[in-house]
């Protein structure tokens, strides 16, 4: 009888830990960006100018969505700055044409918390390679952090995140946190769209927070991504956006432009040109101009 009571008490403890964590995450749901990068990008609105603000191989953004909790385990979508792949904006993975296509994600078991209130994470690429890391949060001060203790050739690292939105669109429940944040700060808006000669192509061209464009036939329903992948390859001195008709299709129509954003939020899109002397990408001919309405 004593043994049975002990097991019941322990089991109840696991349930209460998990339930409390779920309640916390309902309060803390949203998109979170690493504080160092957030503070820089808020000022620069530029991946180029914020290039050294944060380690490019570490999780710069987290998605906390309680509907991704299954059997007490939370899937957390995350993003890195240095990433040669455009990931699908799904929970964990999607299967298309028998191929499994994954986002970057890790998970935490919400029923297993250590004495410090930390939850051990699964593998997170370079951040905890062959080592350990933990997720922790505090509802009272509205904070979420990743912690990696010193060991196995890793230095101690503590990353604090700042929440940039606390809800999700029902039609877009699993946004990539970096895509969402950078689009919101640079591309999202309603514009008058002009060609390179100043001819008005649309007086109501829109790019929403999910990157989806409408109001001009050539770009209709394309998804635009603000690129932070600037850490290798030929040097590039201007920010870059990529437009995909369907990111999950290899034959997708694609547009690539260098962009310049002025202080009023107006955008000029330019063709990308290689300078054969400096072996770097420079602004080519202006292709489009987006004037904020």
């Amino acid at each position: 009888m004593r043994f049975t009571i002990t097991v019941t008490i322990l089991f109840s403890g696991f349930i209460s830990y998990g339930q409390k964590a779920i309640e916390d995450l309902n309060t803390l749901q949203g998109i979170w960006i690493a504080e160092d990068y957030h503070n820089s990008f808020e000022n620069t609105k530029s991946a180029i100018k914020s290039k050294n603000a944060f380690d490019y191989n570490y999780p710069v953004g987290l998605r906390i969505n309680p509907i991704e909790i299954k059997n007490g385990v939370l899937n957390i979508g995350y993003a890195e700055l240095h990433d040669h792949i455009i990931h699908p904006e799904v929970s964990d993975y999607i299967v298309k044409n028998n191929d499994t296509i994954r986002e970057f994600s890790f998970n935490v078991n919400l029923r297993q918390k250590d004495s410090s209130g930390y939850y051990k994470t699964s593998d997170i690429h370079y951040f905890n390679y062959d080592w350990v890391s933990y997720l922790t949060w505090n509802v009272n001060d509205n904070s979420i952090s990743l912690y990696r203790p010193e060991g196995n050739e890793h230095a101690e690292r503590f990353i604090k995140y700042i929440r940039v939105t606390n809800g999700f669109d029902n039609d877009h429940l699993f946004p990539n946190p970096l895509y969402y944040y950078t689009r919101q700060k640079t591309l999202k808006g309603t514009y008058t769209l002009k060609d390179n000669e100043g001819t008005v192509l649309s007086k109501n061209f829109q790019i929403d927070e999910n990157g989806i464009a409408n109001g001009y036939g050539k770009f209709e329903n394309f998804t635009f991504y603000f690129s932070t992948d600037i850490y290798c390859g030929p040097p590039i001195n201007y920010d870059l956006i990529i437009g995909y008709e369907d990111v999950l299709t290899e034959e997708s129509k694609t547009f690539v432009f260098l962009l310049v954003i002025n202080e009023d939020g107006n955008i000029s899109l330019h063709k990308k040109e290689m300078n054969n002397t400096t072996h770097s990408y420079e602004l080519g001919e202006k292709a489009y101009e987006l004037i904020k309405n």
Side-chain angles (χ1 to χ4, degrees), residues 226-241:
F226 182 93
S227 177
T228 62
D229 190 22
I230 55 174
Y231 296 90
C232 62
I236 184 170
N237 298 315
Y238 295 90
D239 289 301
L240 178 146
I241 63 170

Side-chain angles (χ1 to χ4, degrees), residues 253-291:
K253 292 181 181 178
T254 306
F255 296 102
V256 178
F257 298 107
L258 297 182
L259 76 160
V260 177
I261 305 175
N262 70 17
E263 59 185 12
D264 295 321
N266 301 325
I267 300 170
S268 59
L269 301 180
H270 296 255
K271 295 179 180 179
K272 190 172 63 169
E273 278 190 3
M274 172 63 75
N275 184 314
N276 292 323
T277 301
T278 62
H279 302 290
S280 63
Y281 287 119
E282 296 183 355
L283 289 183
E285 178 186 3
K286 182 166 70 174
Y288 298 97
E289 188 172 9
L290 287 69
I291 309 298

Side-chain angles (χ1 to χ4, degrees), residues 190-194 200-206 215 291 293:
T190 302
Y191 304 90
T192 295
L193 177 67
K194 299 180 179 181
V200 174
L201 304 174
S202 172
K203 294 182 178 180
N204 190 38
F205 178 68
Q206 299 177 342
I291 309 298
N293 290 351

Side-chain angles (χ1 to χ4, degrees), residues 163-174:
R163 182 159 57 177
V164 297
T165 184
N166 59 6
F168 299 96
D169 182 343
N170 287 332
D171 295 325
H172 200 84
L173 289 170
F174 311 112

Side-chain angles (χ1 to χ4, degrees), residues 58-59 124-129 133 146-148 154 157 159:
Y58 289 174
I124 309 178
H125 210 201
Y126 292 105
F127 181 66
N128 66 359
Y129 179 71
S133 62
L146 273 174
Y147 173 65
R148 182 186 66 198
H154 289 285
R157 185 67 190 268
I159 303 174

